[in-house]
Amino acid sequence: MELPVIDLAPYLAIADAGNRGSESTKRVSGLTELCHEVSRLLKETGALLVKDPRCTAEDNDRFIDMMEKYFEKPAEFKRLQERPFLHYQVGVTPEGVEVPRSLVDKEMQEKLRAMPKEHQPLTPKGPDPKWRYMWRVGPRPSKTRFQELNSEPVIPEGFPEWKETMDSWGYKMISAIEAVAEMAAIGFGLPKDAFTSLMKQGPHLLAPTGSDLKRYGQEGTVFAGYHYDLNFLTIHGRSRFPGLNIWLRTGEKIEVKVPIGCLLIQTGKQIEWLTAGECTAGMHEVVVTKRTINAIKLASEQNRSLWRVSSTLFAHIASDAVLKPLGHFAESPLASKYPSICTGEFVEQELSVINLKGNKGES
């Protein structure tokens, strides 16, 4: 199965005309159906490929070029940007720190053993052998109970373009998430700002990963063990090396192929909470596959970097907002499984489960 691509341009055209709203959307031919398609795909697959004219392939390349240059630096240089006392929520997270949930969650391990062999994830041998850089995107709340989740960014020396490149790509991807969140809300029969109003001043994180394929380029290497993301929605630009597998709600495993100029969006645990399980947090892993090996050979021949960079952004609900089923989802038979909880408390609970109180957060 290949995920369909949703073109956001028709919806964005309404926004440009100052008409972005559920009532005006309904009057535009085909747009209501497009919103229903977005909500259907998020519900049934937990993933969505989108084309946003504001996020170009050139933007993605510029970002990846800079991150390749950073991750190629020596480990001792990169560790200067490490902030473990802030849960690794800003700065760099070295390889061997992030622990995949499938390694520590006994209930999840039982579910994995029950899966058909062809759909089982690869078993990680230990913590993920990848680096990650966390960069806060967007305004912070002036008052918050969760200051460590809203900390000042860390800028490495020798990268004068760092802030502008990170902010530019981060804001563009947040804009794409906001459009998808509005479309999903309309598709689910909620007010169009049901999700985006809760995202305001959220601790959104641009969180690119760097995996050294020169050291860890053997087929079957697990860079990110089977897990879900704890945030609202996750968005990725196209990586130069394939290897991302996702699981559909049916339990089927598929290798994602992101077309040039497109973005991949995945559901996180916070949207599962807000929809009382109508959407479920999408499971995924990043591994070295035969397609990765082929890409490594080509990059070597062309003398390109062998660091696999993912341009990942985690969009969050605001730390001080309350997570609870919204609108008609509050009447769902499953709503009792999703009791009201402050989002910041929810995030800290999730981090503690995967050994990230002093660590980062999944993906």
Side-chain angles (χ1 to χ4, degrees):
M1 172 189 171
E2 298 223 351
L3 296 172
V5 176
I6 302 291
D7 187 355
L8 302 184
Y11 185 78
L12 296 173
I14 293 178
D16 291 341
N19 285 332
R20 192 196 275 180
S22 56
E23 288 309 309
S24 57
T25 302
K26 288 171 186 172
R27 290 197 292 269
V28 178
S29 174
L31 226 49
T32 304
E33 289 77 9
L34 193 61
C35 291
H36 281 300
E37 180 70 354
V38 166
S39 59
R40 182 189 69 79
L41 286 167
L42 292 177
K43 173 185 172 182
E44 294 180 7
T45 70
L48 192 63
L49 287 171
V50 301
K51 189 168 182 60
D52 186 326
R54 301 167 299 180
C55 302
T56 67
E58 291 74 24
D59 292 328
N60 190 47
D61 284 342
R62 178 175 170 236
F63 176 79
I64 289 180
D65 287 346
M66 186 185 77
M67 293 313 303
E68 285 178 349
K69 184 179 160 192
Y70 172 77
F71 285 124
E72 284 167 354
K73 293 285 187 185
E76 52 270 27
F77 171 84
K78 290 180 286 198
R79 284 185 178 275
L80 296 173
Q81 290 85 52
E82 191 178 0
R83 301 292 184 271
F85 55 91
L86 293 175
H87 299 195
Y88 291 97
Q89 289 291 303
V90 292
V92 79
T93 305
E95 64 179 58
V97 172
E98 295 187 13
V99 179
R101 184 174 283 268
S102 56
L103 208 61
V104 296
D105 189 324
K106 302 297 182 189
E107 186 181 338
M108 183 180 285
Q109 289 168 4
E110 286 177 23
K111 288 179 181 174
L112 299 188
R113 284 191 287 270
M115 282 181 176
K117 199 79 175 169
E118 67 271 22
H119 296 311
Q120 286 183 5
L122 294 181
T123 304
K125 305 285 193 292
D128 294 336
K130 69 174 186 295
W131 293 73
R132 187 190 293 282
Y133 207 99
M134 303 292 258
W135 179 264
R136 282 274 292 110
V137 176
R140 300 161 188 73
S142 54
K143 292 182 181 177
T144 176
R145 291 167 50 203
F146 304 96
Q147 200 60 51
E148 72 276 12
L149 298 181
N150 297 278
S151 306
E152 288 299 317
V154 180
I155 301 176
E157 284 187 24
F159 287 83
E161 76 279 31
W162 188 272
K163 186 177 188 307
E164 195 276 328
T165 303
M166 298 294 263
D167 285 346
S168 172
W169 186 233
Y171 277 108
K172 287 183 178 190
M173 291 209 290
I174 283 282
S175 296
I177 287 263
E178 287 173 341
V180 167
E182 288 185 356
M183 294 172 78
I186 293 166
F188 282 130
L190 299 170
K192 60 122 179 163
D193 65 347
F195 299 130
T196 53
S197 61
L198 296 173
M199 289 173 60
K200 283 186 172 58
Q201 297 192 332
H204 311 307
L205 288 164
L206 181 55
T209 62
S211 305
D212 187 353
L213 295 170
K214 198 178 286 185
R215 285 183 66 197
Y216 302 111
Q218 303 76 31
E219 187 175 349
T221 300
V222 180
F223 283 122
Y226 181 84
H227 67 280
Y228 63 76
D229 294 343
L230 61 82
N231 53 296
F232 172 59
L233 290 172
T234 301
I235 185 167
H236 315 262
R238 187 176 187 267
S239 176
R240 290 172 178 166
F241 297 91
L244 174 65
N245 294 323
I246 67 169
W247 277 258
L248 307 183
R249 201 154 183 171
T250 59
E252 179 188 356
K253 176 170 81 170
I254 62 171
E255 186 172 2
V256 177
K257 297 169 184 170
V258 180
I260 291 172
C262 292
L263 303 161
L264 172 70
I265 292 176
Q266 293 175 278
T267 50
K269 200 68 177 176
Q270 291 171 9
I271 194 172
E272 179 177 331
W273 218 270
L274 297 171
T275 61
E278 184 83 357
C279 294
T280 54
M283 306 305 299
H284 51 285
E285 68 178 1
V286 178
V287 298
V288 177
T289 66
K290 285 184 172 59
R291 288 180 64 232
T292 319
I293 298 291
N294 291 337
I296 292 171
K297 287 177 184 171
L298 182 61
S300 298
E301 290 166 6
Q302 296 176 346
N303 201 29
R304 289 190 284 109
S305 174
L306 293 182
W307 277 84
R308 181 191 187 277
V309 173
S310 75
S311 56
T312 302
L313 183 139
F314 300 117
H316 278 262
I317 300 303
S319 302
D320 295 280
V322 175
L323 271 187
K324 63 180 179 180
L326 299 177
H328 60 86
F329 291 121
E331 308 304 317
S332 163
L334 297 177
S336 60
K337 287 180 61 180
Y338 301 95
S340 296
I341 182 171
C342 184
T343 306
E345 290 174 14
F346 168 81
V347 168
E348 291 186 338
Q349 283 179 19
E350 290 281 314
L351 293 177
S352 66
V353 169
I354 49 176
N355 192 31
L356 287 171
K357 279 292 240 176
N359 215 317
K360 176 233 121 219
E362 282 277 47
S363 179

